[in-house]
Amino acid sequence: MSLLHWAIFSPFLAALFVPLLFKHFRSIHTGWFVLIVPTLLFTYFFQSIPKTSNGEILSESLAWIPSLKVNIDVYLDGLSLLFALLITGIGSLVILYSIFYLDKTKEKLHSFYVYLLIFMGAMLGLVLSDNLIVLYMFWEFTSFSSFLLIGYWHHRERSRYGAQKSMLITVLGGLSMLGGAVLLAFMGETFSVRELIGKSGELTAHPVFNATILLILLGAFTKSAQFPFHIWLPDAMEAPTPVSAYLHSATMVKAGIYLVARLSPVFAESGLWLWLIAGFGILTLFWGSFSAVKQTDLKAILAYSTISQLGMIMSLLGLGAAALHYENMNENIYMAATVAAVFHLINHATFKGSLFMAAGIIDHETGTRDIRKLGGLMNFMPITFTITLIGALSMAGVPPFNGFLSKEMFFAAMILVTEMDLFNLDTWGVLLPVIAWTGSIFTFIYSLIIAFKPFTGVFRPEMLEKKPHEAPIGMLIPPVILASLVIIFGLFPNLLASSIIEPVVAAIQPGLAKNEFHVHISPWHGFEPELFMTIGVIIFGVLLYLTLDKWNKIYGILPDRFSLNRFYDALIKGVEKVSLSITKLFMTGYIRTYLVYIFLFFILSLGFTLFWKDAFAFDSENTAAIGIYELILATIIAVGAIAILFAKSRLTSIIILGAVGYMVSIFFVLFRAPDLALTQLVIETISVALFLLCFYHLPKLPSRKEERMTFKLNNALISIGVGVIVALIALSSHSNKLFDSISGYYVENAYKEAGGKNIVNVILVDFRGLDTMFEITVLGIAALGIFAMIKLRLTKEDDDG
Amino acid sequence: MEVLMAVVIGILFMSATYLMLSKSILRIIIGTGLLSHGAHLLILTMGGLKHGTAVPLLGEQAESYVDPLPQALILTAIVISFGVTSFFLVLAYRTYQELGTDNMDQLRGKEANE
């Protein structure tokens, strides 16, 4: 176990102790103990920055299932480090925030922190794993812990609904990702991500390459809430706000982005990859920001805005893949898209985290998150207002905050698309900047809504459950730190450039980064077209925000009925209904129906095999001659078997059964089987006696009249089918005798070895005595069973007692 | 002879199947009885029905004997099917006594929520 492994496992280990701490130190908020873990981890990862920025890669291996090549191989490069810093850094802030957010007397803190620590460990494992299977394992761990956290207040129906929805969607994607991982390992013959990247050239031509892309991307899109799988994220807002801030803005929803970035070197040669990611990303960006404007719940706005921002990062990653196709250029301008994606990833984590925390403060101090009830809080909560304003303006892309810079880079990248000449991007590519620009206007509008609706306007205390006041200082510290980062990164973006962003870009585009390349983010880059786009966004955004009441009726045009949520609900209900009706259709509860299925399967499978394989053979050469006695006996048996069907009374059918049995024993006589004949005679007699005993002495029930069997065509066809199939198989198997019997040995050795002259009996008790022993057991069990059935008369009351 | 036996066995199986698809428990058990007869004869037939061979008793001093192995198998099968049939019979008897019917259609488990 290396230090890196300990880093992954320490949250899991800490989770073990949380319930103990909660139980024994009730006076201290459990969060204080938990806070130590991410803080230490953050320090550890922070120290690694110089190493990775020099291009060093820490890698460690721990044997888990070496025979299947599944080992806990971890490595730390620029990309992993960025995520690890986000996870631990924002994790520390969120835990600090939760200490003040969750009441230590009212809430079940032990479960909260256990889930949170499991999530943190899983997330760290996910971003540090080199082995695809281990990565998948941690991936599912994040799904499960997220499920538990969303359903934290499990007495609320909405929480359970949201948890179930997110579980179903993310696990669907997770399983698809597992399929992609297995296909990848099948193509590259290794589970190691780094080895796969080395082999990316040979993978492209593989026939399952495109299927792998689709499976992997389904996983990434569901996790990162891309259109149309974004619907779980707004419902996940039922979770406590620290969870929303941590999981659903900064970390878990970025797992899909991490996956795309991580596997980019493997897949980026493909046009499908580029188109899918860029297309779905831009669609998500627009749809998320468009839908956010109509929300009235603060957290719902933030959820849709997260969706939209994730779409933006995703589309940038997709376009970044284009850089690979222009290797000859001296200065690869398309790499700028990747730089923008990474930069915005960092920015989004900072401002979205602070916005969620601010929304949580408003909720905590006023009792509602509904923007229709909130207003005029500026005087009561000046600090929260400042935080929200910084976060929202950064999100909107206003200078001097960091969102402005990444938005500019985003526009720049989108304009570059139109100059591309591959994968038809020169024709359709022009759509991308247009959609991006429109989406950004909506982003601007909802950012203004978040920043101003709760804080300006009329203060309506009668709508609020509590008297609003500023939050405790502990609750304010984390968002203040994040908001300060927003400003610091906005003013000094190059703090990040060589330390963090360069190694990340090197990890996403390893082949290109070997060339001389330096990231330089300049806050001012002259009058480029993207600057005018931003000015346009601001002008249109302000205008539309001011006239919001006049045009927001367009949201009524698309009825609720056609929303994706309705579709999801109908799908879930439909699946339940259809499966229930299918089950009810064939599970009738009648034994006869099931027998029909069994017999039909028997007929069809055997009949099909017989004719498909051309297995039927008929060969009468090797048969014995038909004697007159045999003919008579056979006729009697056949007639008897058919006569039973027409017998009216029970007695008649019993007697006919007996007659058939005696005929069979005479057959045994004719075919030279004396022991069989004896046994058959005796047993048939006893059986018939038993039949008569059981049924002749039964009281006549009024409901039961003696009657013939009613003729049913279906049953008749099925039984004729069974008879024909058995006869055909008997004929063809007899005609295909391949080997002689082994009975020669028994005949020769019955006396020599076993000292008996009756060969059948010698076989029964000597050569194959084991069969006989268990046949005796069967009889014994049957006897005991019968005895128990007759003697043991438990009634229902006895059973219950 | 084997061809004739195959036909007879086919008829036994057919009747057995038809009886097993009926409503009354008694007929179902009679069906299983016919089915086991059919199966026993099938084993015997598949072992070969050559004439001119002797009963598998070494005292006969014959040139060749009938194959003894299928006979041993059938003997085992007869006893087992007897055990099972008698158990079924008593089970049917008890069902009849307790529930007052031998109609399979009325012997359905109740669904929990209905």
Side-chain angles (χ1 to χ4, degrees):
Chain A
M1 292 266 278
S2 64
L3 205 54
L4 211 51
H5 283 108
W6 279 113
I8 296 174
F9 294 125
S10 57
F12 291 106
L13 286 176
L16 286 177
F17 294 102
V18 165
L20 283 177
L21 292 169
F22 177 70
K23 205 173 157 192
H24 294 293
F25 299 93
R26 288 306 293 253
S27 53
I28 308 168
H29 197 288
T30 320
W32 290 113
F33 301 112
V34 179
L35 185 59
I36 303 165
V37 179
T39 322
L40 284 178
L41 286 175
F42 182 76
T43 327
Y44 165 69
F45 285 118
F46 198 78
Q47 281 174 343
S48 314
I49 292 179
K51 281 186 204 155
T52 50
S53 57
N54 286 336
E56 272 179 57
I57 294 176
L58 256 89
S59 91
E60 301 287 348
S61 183
L62 176 68
W64 184 22
I65 319 173
S67 56
L68 297 178
K69 292 194 218 159
V70 175
N71 294 313
I72 306 179
D73 299 334
V74 291
Y75 77 128
L76 186 70
D77 64 352
L79 183 61
S80 314
L81 182 69
L82 166 63
F83 274 88
L85 284 174
L86 283 180
I87 293 160
T88 50
I90 297 189
S92 317
L93 295 177
V94 159
I95 288 174
L96 179 63
Y97 177 81
S98 71
I99 292 172
F100 295 91
Y101 186 85
L102 294 172
D103 195 313
K104 73 178 173 207
T105 50
K106 289 177 197 152
E107 303 285 357
K108 284 174 287 186
L109 292 177
H110 51 311
S111 6
F112 181 80
Y113 287 112
V114 167
Y115 303 158
L116 202 69
L117 281 171
I118 291 176
F119 172 78
M120 189 183 289
M123 208 55 213
L124 278 177
L126 200 163
V127 299
L128 293 172
S129 289
D130 179 46
N131 190 294
L132 280 173
I133 297 296
V134 177
L135 193 150
Y136 169 73
M137 179 184 82
F138 286 119
W139 182 278
E140 291 297 23
F141 260 122
T142 64
S143 295
F144 284 118
S145 48
S146 160
F147 167 79
L148 291 169
L149 283 166
I150 296 169
Y152 176 64
W153 286 312
H154 50 77
H155 51 273
R156 295 187 192 163
E157 207 251 324
R158 294 292 308 167
S159 294
R160 296 199 302 271
Y161 173 79
Q164 188 207 32
K165 193 176 192 177
S166 72
M167 179 76 154
L168 286 176
I169 293 177
T170 53
V171 167
L172 167 84
L175 285 177
S176 141
M177 190 208 123
L178 176 65
V182 170
L183 280 185
L184 253 183
F186 163 70
M187 291 193 296
E189 289 168 352
T190 171
F191 282 119
S192 159
V193 176
R194 273 177 303 167
E195 286 173 30
L196 283 169
I197 291 172
K199 290 182 178 175
S200 65
E202 39 186 298
L203 298 184
T204 323
H206 204 280
V208 295
F209 185 72
N210 282 346
T212 315
I213 288 185
L214 291 179
L215 288 174
I216 293 269
L217 281 188
L218 183 63
F221 283 176
T222 48
K223 197 77 163 183
S224 282
Q226 298 295 295
F227 188 88
F229 306 109
H230 65 273
I231 50 173
W232 66 266
L233 190 59
D235 283 308
M237 291 302 129
E238 295 301 323
T241 303
V243 173
S244 312
Y246 187 39
L247 272 69
H248 306 126
S249 76
T251 50
M252 189 179 89
V253 288
K254 295 204 170 103
I257 288 180
Y258 169 79
L259 190 72
V260 168
R262 177 54 87 202
L263 295 179
S264 220
V266 182
F267 293 113
E269 291 281 342
S270 151
L272 184 70
W273 176 264
L274 193 158
W275 259 121
L276 276 178
I277 297 179
F280 274 94
I282 207 82
L283 189 63
T284 312
L285 161 70
F286 176 76
W287 187 251
S289 58
F290 179 73
S291 310
V293 176
K294 74 170 167 182
Q295 306 299 323
T296 54
D297 177 9
L298 270 181
K299 273 174 87 176
I301 303 178
L302 289 173
Y304 277 103
S305 107
T306 302
I307 292 167
S308 148
Q309 308 277 326
L310 290 171
M312 171 172 162
I313 300 172
M314 205 61 112
S315 66
L316 282 170
L317 280 178
L319 294 179
L324 271 181
H325 299 274
Y326 292 96
E327 264 176 290
N328 296 331
M329 284 188 162
N330 283 336
E331 204 170 306
N332 201 318
I333 45 175
Y334 297 103
M335 215 132 142
T338 311
V339 176
V342 177
F343 188 44
H344 193 70
L345 182 82
I346 303 169
N347 294 344
H348 177 250
T350 54
F351 66 68
K352 193 51 66 69
S354 68
L355 281 174
F356 264 112
M357 289 176 185
I361 291 173
I362 296 171
D363 186 16
H364 207 260
E365 306 306 333
T366 63
T368 182
R369 299 194 306 252
D370 194 328
I371 53 169
R372 288 166 302 188
K373 294 182 185 167
L374 295 166
L377 293 177
M378 200 195 287
N379 296 330
F380 298 95
M381 313 167 99
I383 303 176
T384 315
F385 173 60
T386 317
I387 295 165
T388 315
L389 194 66
I390 294 171
L393 291 181
S394 171
M395 182 156 71
V398 173
F401 306 111
N402 56 7
F404 168 70
L405 299 171
S406 43
K407 182 79 60 146
E408 291 281 277
M409 292 158 77
F410 170 61
F411 284 148
M414 286 296 150
I415 294 169
L416 281 177
V417 177
T418 51
E419 293 165 20
M420 282 190 200
D421 51 3
L422 42 102
F423 311 131
N424 296 330
L425 275 172
D426 44 348
T427 47
W428 292 99
V430 72
L431 271 177
L432 293 181
V434 175
I435 301 175
W437 187 72
T438 333
S440 298
I441 294 176
F442 283 105
T443 307
F444 194 87
I445 301 170
Y446 71 68
S447 300
L448 291 188
I449 294 179
I450 292 176
F452 293 113
K453 283 269 156 109
F455 296 102
T456 57
V458 196
F459 175 56
R460 285 170 292 179
E462 73 281 357
M463 305 276 275
L464 304 177
E465 291 169 21
K466 300 177 187 170
K467 190 171 157 29
H469 55 83
E470 189 58 272
I473 183 83
M475 217 161 163
L476 286 169
I477 291 173
V480 165
I481 292 176
L482 287 173
S484 323
L485 285 178
V486 169
I487 300 177
I488 293 170
F489 292 158
L491 295 177
F492 311 103
N494 289 311
L495 278 179
L496 296 171
S498 64
S499 57
I500 307 261
I501 297 177
E502 268 177 36
V504 177
V505 176
I508 298 176
Q509 290 172 336
L512 299 171
K514 280 186 204 119
N515 311 333
E516 281 298 301
F517 113 98
H518 287 290
V519 173
H520 186 75
I521 302 164
S522 55
W524 177 254
H525 35 67
F527 291 98
E528 296 290 329
E530 54 262 30
L531 183 66
F532 296 107
M533 282 171 85
T534 305
I535 293 172
V537 165
I538 294 176
I539 293 170
F540 275 97
V542 170
L543 282 177
L544 285 171
Y545 174 70
L546 293 176
T547 53
L548 190 61
D549 294 334
K550 298 200 176 68
W551 60 269
N552 67 5
K553 298 198 177 46
I554 59 156
Y555 289 108
I557 295 172
L558 191 72
D560 233 15
R561 206 141 34 91
F562 294 115
S563 73
L564 283 164
N565 276 318
R566 287 295 180 93
F567 175 74
Y568 164 84
D569 290 337
L571 187 75
I572 297 286
K573 259 198 193 130
V575 167
E576 280 175 9
K577 228 168 126 182
V578 168
S579 9
L580 190 67
S581 60
I582 289 177
T583 311
K584 283 209 164 155
L585 191 72
F586 71 94
M587 299 291 285
T588 57
Y590 294 110
I591 297 211
R592 198 168 61 246
T593 332
Y594 306 142
L595 280 176
V596 167
Y597 301 148
I598 294 169
F599 285 132
L600 271 181
F601 179 77
F602 172 82
I603 296 170
L604 293 177
S605 60
L606 287 178
F608 179 72
T609 316
L610 212 55
F611 288 101
W612 183 52
K613 289 278 182 194
D614 201 20
F616 180 71
F618 182 72
D619 173 22
S620 58
E621 269 181 35
N622 206 18
T623 53
I626 301 177
I628 182 74
Y629 298 120
E630 286 97 327
L631 193 64
I632 295 170
L633 277 179
T635 320
I636 297 176
I637 288 185
V639 169
I642 291 170
I644 282 190
L645 304 179
F646 297 97
K648 189 179 170 195
S649 77
R650 291 175 290 178
L651 201 58
T652 323
S653 26
I654 291 169
I655 288 169
I656 298 176
L657 180 67
V660 172
Y662 286 136
M663 291 308 124
V664 171
S665 68
I666 298 175
F667 253 130
F668 289 150
V669 171
L670 281 180
F671 292 135
R672 292 170 178 73
D675 302 293
L676 288 186
L678 284 173
T679 320
Q680 177 71 27
L681 266 175
V682 174
I683 277 181
E684 200 56 40
T685 315
I686 299 173
S687 298
V688 170
L690 259 175
F691 266 105
L692 292 175
L693 251 175
C694 282
F695 287 91
Y696 191 69
H697 293 292
L698 274 180
K700 289 267 180 208
L701 292 168
S703 63
R704 197 197 178 289
K705 289 189 205 112
E706 293 276 15
E707 56 188 10
R708 282 205 178 85
M709 258 196 292
T710 45
F711 178 76
K712 289 212 181 72
L713 185 66
N714 289 342
N715 291 355
L717 287 177
I718 288 168
S719 28
I720 289 170
V722 170
V724 169
I725 288 286
V726 169
L728 287 181
I729 288 174
L731 284 176
S732 47
S733 67
H734 185 261
S735 306
N736 279 324
K737 215 159 235 181
L738 300 176
F739 304 104
D740 280 338
S741 162
I742 55 164
S743 298
Y745 173 83
Y746 293 131
V747 175
E748 271 171 36
N749 292 306
Y751 191 71
K752 240 190 284 176
E753 301 278 340
K757 288 186 176 172
N758 185 333
I759 308 173
V760 174
N761 288 359
V762 169
I763 291 177
L764 282 174
V765 298
D766 196 314
F767 290 125
R768 301 175 56 87
L770 212 58
D771 293 358
T772 313
M773 186 173 93
F774 287 110
E775 155 198 343
I776 293 167
T777 318
V778 168
L779 271 189
I781 291 172
L784 284 176
I786 290 169
F787 180 75
M789 259 197 298
I790 291 176
K791 279 286 169 190
L792 201 65
R793 302 270 165 123
L794 287 179
T795 54
K796 208 170 168 49
E797 290 77 51
D798 296 339
D799 269 349
D800 295 341
Chain B
M1 191 63 225
E2 278 85 351
V3 180
L4 179 71
M5 288 307 288
V7 173
V8 171
I9 291 160
I11 292 174
L12 279 173
F13 269 82
M14 181 200 74
S15 293
T17 310
Y18 195 79
L19 285 167
M20 286 161 88
L21 291 173
S22 77
K23 277 185 207 166
S24 116
I25 296 189
L26 175 66
R27 289 205 170 101
I28 292 175
I29 298 178
I30 290 176
T32 58
L34 280 186
L35 194 78
S36 50
H37 287 324
H40 299 156
L41 284 180
L42 184 64
I43 301 176
L44 192 72
T45 312
M46 291 300 101
L49 299 172
K50 286 266 181 62
H51 273 252
T53 45
V55 172
L57 296 171
L58 287 176
E60 299 275 305
Q61 302 290 339
E63 284 283 306
S64 66
Y65 296 95
V66 161
D67 197 338
L69 194 57
Q71 295 194 10
L73 297 182
I74 296 169
L75 202 63
T76 311
I78 289 177
V79 175
I80 288 174
S81 70
F82 167 70
V84 176
T85 308
S86 48
F87 185 85
F88 275 170
L89 270 171
V90 177
L91 185 66
Y93 171 75
R94 290 284 292 130
T95 312
Y96 200 94
Q97 254 190 352
E98 289 286 319
L99 306 171
T101 179
D102 72 337
N103 187 339
M104 288 308 290
D105 287 2
Q106 290 167 9
L107 293 173
R108 284 175 71 194
K110 277 185 191 140
E111 278 176 38
N113 293 327
E114 281 181 352

